Amino acid sequence: MVGVGGAAESTDMVLNIGPQHPSTHGVLRLRLVLDGELISAAEPVVGYMHRGAEKLFEARDYRQIIVLANRHDWLSAFSNELGVVLAVERMLGMEVPERAVWTRTLLAELNRVLNHLMFLGSYPLELGGITPVFYAFREREELQNVMEEISGGRMHYMFNRVGGLKEDLPAGWLGRARQAVAAVRARMDSFDRLVLGNEIFRGRTRDVGYLPPETVHAYGVSGPIARASGVDFDLRRDEPYLAYTDPELRSTLKVVTRQEGDCLARFEVLLEQAHNSLDMADVCLDRLAQLPPGPINQRLPKVLKAPEGATYAWTENPLGLNGYYLVSKGEKTPYRLKLRSASYNNIQALTELLPGTLVADMVAILGSFFFVVGDIDK
């Protein structure tokens, strides 16, 4: 029996986090190897929610694939739809009415705020603070109400169509949307005071989970997580689409970055980006109020077929870059539609980030990656 105790002390322990762990936004499993209190290796194990959406795209026509595309990141449904229709419209060489362009931009920014509010509330909850999530859901309800009024859906809007949007705005909707944006903006300082001003929150997140820019580039990390590490890239500015080409909107857009690359920086970027999206929503509302009446979509043939060829469209989704590689053989269904989702790439960086950190900091780091597991598994 001599020496057994010493051998046991140096033995690594394998710890499974999940797949049912409540601190993740979906069903994720982390396989950690621990050396005492330190994590020595980490492997994200994904696929528990995989539904084969990319394969299903091949069996649905161009109108039906939208309902599949808006579900992988259930917090960014409108933005998910948008990327698919932009790819199909690019393949068709289709021009979308100006009214639809500005409405899409407005709804994309409102959807961005809805997404960020969820994480602004749930991240403190994962660290033991329950109050911010109540504030977050109060603000989400304001915006959800106007999104539901225009589309009929609260999470899966199904409002985009190839060639524009499902239908025109309801009478008086612009005024109600403006009131909702103003109400949310007036109360957003709750997160500045309640969360960022909390010394326990700052103690749990400052200098924890440092993500270097080199790792961001190596793993294709994007969105608020990448910008919190000093990677100054945003498609809305660097390769603009929709109404982001408009000078007034470009001057309102602020690409928020931080250099610290820690959990606190990632939260700060998310919060400041939500503030900026509310400002951009106001610009879109002003422009829509000035536009003359006109169509909000294009008339499509009964059977829509894309010409033979391939194209790629990408969008700045709330969680990062989403890419859509569409291949057509001239049929009414895509031959192939490859989806590049932000969360899938972002979560891979955990294999580099977690080793060397304390297991007590694991949930703080995991929560600061702001992922949706459906967006990982597709």
Side-chain angles (χ1 to χ4, degrees):
M1 298 297 291
V2 177
V4 169
E9 287 177 8
S10 64
T11 301
D12 289 337
M13 180 176 73
V14 176
L15 177 65
N16 278 298
I17 306 295
Q20 76 290 342
H21 201 279
S23 75
T24 62
H25 293 267
V27 190
L28 176 73
R29 174 184 165 209
L30 277 181
R31 184 181 181 275
L32 305 179
V33 179
L34 304 182
D35 180 8
E37 288 292 310
L38 283 177
I39 298 172
S40 58
E43 178 192 4
V45 182
V46 304
Y48 291 95
M49 297 184 66
H50 181 61
R51 297 170 294 115
E54 290 179 355
K55 195 65 182 172
L56 291 172
F57 286 151
E58 300 170 15
R60 306 289 190 276
D61 67 35
Y62 287 106
R63 293 180 175 90
Q64 295 169 329
I65 59 175
I66 300 171
V67 75
L68 294 171
N70 75 2
R71 279 164 165 74
H72 56 89
D73 174 2
W74 46 78
L75 298 178
S76 311
F78 185 86
S79 301
N80 298 339
E81 301 169 11
L82 189 57
V84 170
V85 297
L86 287 175
V88 177
E89 287 162 4
R90 181 173 294 182
M91 183 74 89
L92 293 167
M94 181 180 289
E95 290 287 334
V96 176
E98 185 181 14
R99 193 170 182 80
V101 170
W102 279 96
T103 306
R104 281 178 172 179
T105 309
L106 167 64
L107 297 177
E109 291 305 318
L110 293 180
N111 194 195
R112 194 181 309 277
V113 179
L114 281 168
N115 175 289
H116 291 356
L117 281 170
M118 174 62 79
F119 289 106
L120 291 172
S122 68
Y123 185 42
L125 179 65
E126 289 160 12
L127 298 180
I130 193 171
T131 307
V133 78
F134 298 133
Y135 285 87
F137 269 82
R138 179 185 64 181
E139 310 316 329
R140 276 175 56 86
E141 284 301 306
E142 291 275 4
L143 299 177
Q144 286 283 40
N145 288 339
V146 294
M147 295 291 281
E148 183 181 15
E149 181 185 357
I150 196 174
S151 67
R154 290 187 67 81
M155 284 190 70
H156 304 301
Y157 305 110
M158 274 304 296
F159 197 56
N160 276 291
R161 295 292 185 273
V162 176
L165 294 166
K166 177 185 173 186
E167 57 197 7
D168 208 345
L169 310 177
W173 183 87
L174 287 176
R176 290 187 288 276
R178 194 184 299 277
Q179 290 172 4
V181 169
V184 172
R185 180 188 288 107
R187 296 193 293 254
M188 282 294 287
D189 68 326
S190 301
F191 296 98
D192 295 297
R193 293 182 288 103
L194 190 66
V195 183
L196 285 181
N198 186 291
E199 62 184 52
I200 299 175
F201 178 83
R202 298 184 76 88
R204 289 291 305 277
T205 55
R206 188 195 285 117
D207 299 328
V208 173
Y210 173 65
L211 180 66
E214 300 78 31
T215 306
V216 168
H217 293 302
Y219 283 85
V221 175
S222 59
I225 304 172
R227 291 192 282 274
S229 294
V231 179
D232 187 7
F233 181 75
D234 190 313
L235 273 183
R236 297 173 295 170
R237 179 198 64 194
D238 301 321
E239 195 172 313
Y241 54 99
L242 293 181
Y244 298 117
T245 56
D246 180 78
E248 185 181 1
L249 205 57
R250 287 176 69 85
S251 65
T252 307
L253 172 63
K254 180 183 179 184
V255 180
V256 184
T257 60
R258 292 288 187 277
Q259 300 302 318
E260 293 81 2
D262 57 8
C263 295
L264 181 60
R266 291 190 277 274
F267 186 87
E268 288 176 344
V269 167
L270 204 71
L271 178 57
E272 198 169 334
Q273 194 168 281
H275 281 284
N276 185 238
S277 288
L278 291 171
D279 295 337
M280 296 180 71
D282 273 339
V283 174
C284 294
L285 286 164
D286 291 340
R287 182 59 63 90
L288 281 168
Q290 298 167 6
L291 289 178
I296 201 146
N297 49 38
Q298 296 276 20
R299 292 184 64 86
L300 299 176
K302 190 170 184 180
V303 177
L304 180 64
K305 295 183 179 181
E308 190 168 347
T311 191
Y312 184 78
W314 56 344
T315 58
E316 186 69 44
N317 266 39
L319 298 181
L321 298 181
N322 269 27
Y324 304 84
Y325 179 58
L326 173 62
V327 181
S328 171
K329 295 292 187 182
E331 301 297 330
K332 65 179 182 179
T333 61
Y335 176 75
R336 184 80 169 91
L337 180 52
K338 175 71 177 75
L339 171 62
R340 187 267 192 215
S341 59
S343 296
Y344 181 80
N345 283 70
N346 291 354
I347 204 72
Q348 307 307 320
L350 289 173
T351 58
E352 297 277 350
L353 182 59
L354 285 175
T357 63
L358 292 169
V359 69
D361 290 329
M362 184 272 302
V363 171
I365 296 170
L366 191 63
S368 74
F369 266 60
F370 312 130
F371 58 87
V372 171
V373 179
D375 200 42
I376 299 171
D377 289 351
K378 301 191 286 292

